[in-house]
């Protein structure tokens, strides 16, 4: 979905991917009882560090999602669609290459 | 003196909060952000002095001891980068304030500009100081989020278009980085870089290679290494000139810094050096060929930026002490020069109404100061002898010759070729924009006058770039010391992990 043209689909792909990675980090730690001192013996506790890290990562993912949504909305408001477009300059160069005029333009620039 | 270490992160963050509160009062915002950044510069300078004389300064945030808590480490490399980046950000801030005033309306640096800019600085400093991988990730995210805002500021259609590409690519690289972090934690049970340096050695080779590859991939996207660099020339030129300048100077260099850190500390030697050298060669040559083909100054500069990342990778890939110290010297030089060039491009845009080469002409006669402000850093970038670019390149080439392998020789040839092509690209800009007769399509002298607050910081950075030549000896010594420190992995581990973090 990341390779789609529509920004909304890219966004969905991003959310899925982000959550997948968060789960991956969670799997990295040791599973067990809640890591609260006095609640369970120390060697039965889960590893708290991945959970802390995911907390941070979730916040970041959420913020990014919101920002991308805003961007998609803005793009929709400005141009009526939310497609990721080709670069204007790239398009120009591609057109030049098709007409085989790339070298000609540079020469005429230097002469003028 | 370890209480100084967290200050470069906290001062800009505090400043950002204050400027956000001062929403709608541009004068107060300007004062606060200027004060905050100047303070950051002073603290960084103090850190550089302390770390070179007394060794690395380590702070365990919140009093949690090193392997579990978050540590901030200010060794020579980190504090050197801090000083340069702080100096650059101060100059660019003055420039952007000047630009806002010149355009006539007071709120042009929109009310969100100053907070975003300060947060960007905080993210950069946090990434430099980070002592563990997750904190590095957080630093990256902070600066990236701020950069998204700065890139799409104003929300015109063009910027949204460019921003979309940039954001999706950066998000992807962040996800890769995060995945690598998750895997590393699962494999070693720690993210503290000093501890990782010890534990990674015990891992099987294949696993280590995967982890290293993922980190390189993530940082490579951020640093715009060749096959991963195509996003950069599309997105940078559309942003306002000061924003582009600070991006060009700092953001890619944070990626390079992360590569240096991880390659030296976590995965020294090994199989990646060949990959790094090949990437360096490709980045150099393909980047500069792209630059030669461009007809817009900002895009051309973006391509030279990509190309010169190759030099940095060259130094890192050599793994020798001389290569490393030259790379460090080159980073300092390149941050300064590239930022100056983008600021000068902003001035050209102001005076000439555009940065497209076919619409400019005769700027040398119309505005000699501007011509000087462009020419000196441009020659510096191409590596003309008296300037610092030459010294950095010479160091790299010397290190390449000392290495002696066939790949190293190929890279030496490649870097000479690249600097010649850079000279060609720069000469083309000079001929078309400055030397030929003035173009009638350009705005009248009054309409395109550059305000002193834009010229002075540009000239200051030009002077700073020239001064790098003057202090090249001591600076190289600092770089060498930093390179030595980078190769002394057990020393790093000892200074971070020892109780209390003795400096």
């Amino acid at each position: 979905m990341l390779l789609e043209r529509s920004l909304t689909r890219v966004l969905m792909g991003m959310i899925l991917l982000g959550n997948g990675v968060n789960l991956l980090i969670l799997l990295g730690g040791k599973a067990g009882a809640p890591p609260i001192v006095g609640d369970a013996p120390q060697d039965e506790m889960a590893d708290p560090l991945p959970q802390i890290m995911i907390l941070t990562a979730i916040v970041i993912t959420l913020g990014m999602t919101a920002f991308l949504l805003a961007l998609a909305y803005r793009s929709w408001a400005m141009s009526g669609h939310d497609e990721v477009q080709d670069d204007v300059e790239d398009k120009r160069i591609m057109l030049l290459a098709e007409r085989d005029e790339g070298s000609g333009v540079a020469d005429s620039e230097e002469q003028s | 003196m370890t209480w100084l270490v967290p200050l470069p992160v906290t001062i800009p963050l505090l400043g950002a909060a204050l400027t956000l509160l001062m929403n709608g009062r541009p004068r107060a915002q300007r004062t606060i952000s200027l004060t905050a950044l100047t303070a950051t510069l002073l603290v960084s300078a103090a850190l550089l002095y302390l770390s070179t004389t007394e060794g690395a300064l380590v702070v365990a945030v919140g009093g949690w001891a090193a392997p579990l808590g978050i540590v901030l480490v200010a060794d020579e490399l980190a504090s050197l980068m801090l000083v340069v980046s702080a100096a650059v950000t101060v100059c660019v801030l003055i420039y952007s304030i000047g630009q806002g005033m010149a355009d006539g309306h007071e709120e042009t640096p929109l009310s969100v500009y100053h907070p975003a800019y300060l947060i960007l600085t905080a993210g950069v400093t946090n990434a430099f100081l980070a002592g563990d991988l997750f904190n590095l990730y957080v630093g990256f995210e902070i600066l990236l989020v701020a950069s998204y805002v700065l890139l799409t500021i104003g929300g015109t259609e063009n910027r949204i278009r460019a921003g979309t590409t940039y954001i999706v690519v950066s998000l992807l690289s962040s996800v890769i980085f995060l995945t690598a972090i998750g895997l590393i934690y699962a494999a070693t049970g720690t993210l503290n870089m000093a501890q990782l340096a010890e534990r990674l050695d015990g891992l099987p080779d294949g696993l280590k290679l995967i982890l290293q590859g993922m980190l390189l991939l993530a940082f490579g996207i951020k640093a715009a290494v060749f096959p991963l660099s195509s996003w950069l020339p599309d997105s940078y030129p559309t942003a306002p000139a000061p924003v582009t300048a600070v991006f060009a100077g700092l953001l890619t260099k944070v990626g390079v810094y992360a590569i240096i850190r991880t390659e030296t500390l976590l995965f020294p030697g090994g199989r990646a050096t060949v990959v790094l050298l090949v990437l360096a060669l490709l980045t150099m040559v393909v980047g500069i060929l792209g630059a030669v083909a461009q007809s817009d100054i900002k895009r051309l500069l973006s391509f030279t930026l990509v190309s010169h990342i190759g030099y940095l990778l060259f130094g890192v890939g050599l793994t020798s002490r001389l290569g490393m110290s030259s790379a460090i010297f080159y980073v300092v030089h390149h941050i300064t020069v590239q930022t100056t060039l983008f600021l000068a491009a902003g001035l050209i845009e102001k005076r000439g109404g555009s940065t497209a080469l076919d619409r400019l002409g005769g700027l040398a006669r119309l505005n000699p100061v501007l011509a000087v402000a462009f020419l000196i850093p441009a020659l510096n970038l191409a590596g003309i002898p008296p300037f610092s670019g030459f010294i950095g390149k010479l160091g790299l080439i010397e290190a390449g010759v000392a290495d002696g392998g066939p790949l190293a020789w190929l890279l030496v040839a490649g870097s000479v070729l690249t600097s010649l092509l850079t000279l060609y690209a720069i000469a083309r800009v000079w001929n078309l924009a400055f030397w030929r007769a003035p173009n009638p399509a350009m705005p009248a002298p009054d309409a395109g006058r550059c305000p002193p607050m834009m010229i002075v910081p540009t000239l200051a950075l030009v002077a700073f770039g020239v001064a790098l030549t003057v202090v090249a000896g001591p600076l190289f010594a600092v770089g060498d010391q930093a390179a030595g420190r980078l190769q002394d992995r057990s020393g790093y581990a000892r200074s971070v992990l020892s109780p209390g973090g003795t400096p």
Side-chain angles (χ1 to χ4, degrees):
Chain A
M1 278 206 250
L2 285 176
L3 300 175
E4 291 272 356
R5 277 272 157 163
S6 159
L7 194 55
T8 325
R9 291 176 189 225
V10 173
L11 178 68
M12 287 181 183
M14 217 69 217
I15 297 173
L16 282 179
L17 198 59
N19 283 313
V21 172
N22 287 347
L23 278 180
L24 179 87
I25 298 181
L26 185 64
L27 289 178
K30 192 164 72 84
I36 302 167
V37 177
D39 215 36
Q42 204 160 34
D43 46 344
E44 279 174 27
M45 280 184 194
D47 190 352
L49 278 180
Q51 302 179 7
I52 300 168
M53 287 189 288
I54 296 180
L55 207 56
T56 319
I58 287 174
V59 173
I60 292 172
T61 320
L62 177 76
M64 289 293 85
T65 312
F67 191 78
L68 263 181
L69 260 180
L71 208 62
Y73 176 73
R74 182 81 184 170
S75 166
W76 176 76
M78 304 280 288
S79 52
H81 57 79
D82 65 344
E83 311 229 313
V84 180
Q85 289 156 20
D86 284 333
D87 191 41
V88 187
E89 198 81 3
D90 281 354
K91 265 193 200 152
R92 198 178 59 83
I93 291 174
M94 268 181 335
L95 275 178
L96 284 179
E98 272 169 22
R99 279 185 270 145
D100 196 24
E101 281 177 354
S103 50
V105 170
D107 286 351
S108 63
E109 265 175 20
E110 266 145 42
Q111 281 158 11
S112 60
Chain B
M1 297 295 273
T2 48
W3 53 271
L4 277 173
V5 178
L7 283 184
V9 185
T10 46
I11 293 176
L13 276 183
L14 268 179
L18 281 177
T19 45
L20 211 53
L21 285 179
M22 294 290 162
N23 196 353
R25 267 181 283 173
R27 200 173 298 272
Q29 282 191 324
R30 283 198 293 266
T31 322
I32 293 170
S33 45
L34 254 185
T35 323
L37 286 181
T38 318
T40 314
L41 177 62
L42 293 178
V43 172
S44 315
L47 279 179
L48 179 63
Y49 173 73
L50 286 173
S51 61
T52 43
T53 48
E54 293 172 22
L57 296 151
V58 182
V59 161
V61 177
W64 291 79
L68 279 180
I70 296 167
V71 279
L72 295 176
V73 185
D75 58 355
E76 286 96 334
L77 177 60
S79 39
L80 186 63
M81 300 288 282
L82 277 183
V83 172
V84 180
S85 57
V88 165
T89 45
V90 170
C91 286
V92 174
L93 182 70
I94 300 174
Y95 180 95
S96 63
I97 292 174
Q99 190 178 33
M101 284 173 170
D103 290 344
H105 24 106
E106 281 271 290
E107 66 268 33
T108 313
L110 294 156
S111 48
V112 76
Y113 176 81
H114 285 285
Y117 190 81
L118 286 170
I119 289 175
L120 180 81
T121 317
V124 170
T125 49
N126 190 20
F128 286 152
L129 287 172
D132 64 291
L133 280 180
F134 198 76
N135 202 14
L136 184 65
Y137 168 76
V138 173
F140 263 122
E141 277 318 301
I142 294 175
L143 76 89
L144 282 175
V145 172
S147 76
Y148 303 154
V149 175
L150 287 176
L151 195 68
T152 53
I153 216 166
T156 58
E157 196 172 346
N158 220 4
R159 283 186 190 154
I160 295 282
R161 179 189 55 69
T164 319
T165 330
Y166 173 71
I167 292 170
V168 171
V169 170
S170 316
L171 276 179
L172 202 58
S173 84
S174 299
V175 167
I176 296 171
F177 187 19
L178 197 58
T179 317
I181 288 180
L183 290 177
I184 288 178
Y185 187 80
T188 60
T190 178
L191 282 175
N192 185 289
M193 289 213 241
Q195 213 174 7
L196 270 181
E198 292 164 358
R199 292 203 189 168
L200 274 174
D201 286 344
L203 288 184
D205 267 357
L207 184 59
K208 230 162 72 173
L209 198 65
I210 292 174
L211 296 179
Q212 185 179 16
M214 287 187 75
L215 283 183
L216 259 186
L217 186 62
F219 297 147
I221 295 177
K222 287 178 191 182
V225 176
F226 158 61
L228 316 168
S229 66
S230 50
W231 55 269
L232 191 146
D234 283 352
S235 50
Y236 276 18
T238 45
V243 172
T244 319
V246 88
F247 281 14
L250 294 179
L251 295 201
T252 48
K253 302 308 175 305
V254 182
V256 172
Y257 171 83
I259 290 181
I260 294 181
R261 249 309 161 235
T262 46
E263 286 309 304
T264 53
L265 193 63
L266 305 186
F267 309 96
R271 280 176 281 185
T273 54
V274 178
V275 180
L276 271 180
L277 289 179
V278 172
L279 284 181
L281 185 65
L282 287 175
T283 311
M284 270 184 209
V285 175
V286 176
I288 201 66
L289 288 179
V292 168
Q294 295 304 315
S295 63
D296 182 285
I297 296 180
K298 278 189 183 175
R299 282 182 68 88
L300 188 143
L301 288 178
S302 304
F303 273 102
T304 59
L305 166 66
V306 172
S307 156
H308 284 244
I309 297 287
Y311 283 102
L312 305 173
L313 282 189
F314 179 27
V316 180
L318 285 174
T319 64
S320 66
R321 185 169 175 158
L322 179 60
M324 196 63 76
S325 56
S326 314
I328 292 169
F329 183 84
Y330 205 82
V331 171
V332 174
H333 146 80
H334 196 243
I335 290 178
T336 322
V337 167
Q338 200 74 44
T339 313
T340 325
L341 279 174
F342 272 107
L343 289 184
L347 288 175
I348 291 173
E349 191 173 19
K350 191 102 188 65
R351 177 63 190 87
S354 150
T355 50
L357 280 177
D358 48 2
R359 274 194 244 158
L360 291 170
L363 281 174
R365 203 175 319 147
L366 294 178
N367 195 340
V369 180
L370 174 55
V372 170
F374 183 80
L375 186 64
I376 291 179
L379 291 178
N380 201 339
L381 181 75
I384 299 293
F387 293 117
S388 55
F390 174 73
I391 303 172
K393 286 193 180 79
L394 190 70
L396 285 173
I397 288 172
E398 216 173 284
V401 172
D403 186 71
L407 202 53
W409 277 104
L410 202 62
L411 267 161
V412 169
S415 56
V416 173
L417 179 73
T418 307
S419 50
L420 288 179
L421 281 175
T422 312
L423 190 61
Y424 168 72
I426 293 299
R428 207 167 130 258
V429 173
W430 176 255
N431 274 337
L432 290 178
F434 289 92
W435 212 238
R436 65 176 177 179
N439 195 319
M442 295 202 316
D446 286 339
R449 199 142 32 111
C450 300
M453 271 189 79
M454 287 169 75
I455 293 179
V456 169
T458 315
L459 286 181
L461 274 179
V462 170
F464 188 59
V466 173
L468 284 183
T469 314
V470 181
V471 298
L475 188 59
F476 234 105
V478 172
D480 189 53
Q481 203 181 336
R485 174 89 58 187
L486 281 177
Q487 284 173 343
D488 176 23
R489 297 166 69 212
S490 56
Y492 182 88
R494 222 179 311 118
S495 63
V496 172
L497 294 179
S498 66
T502 42

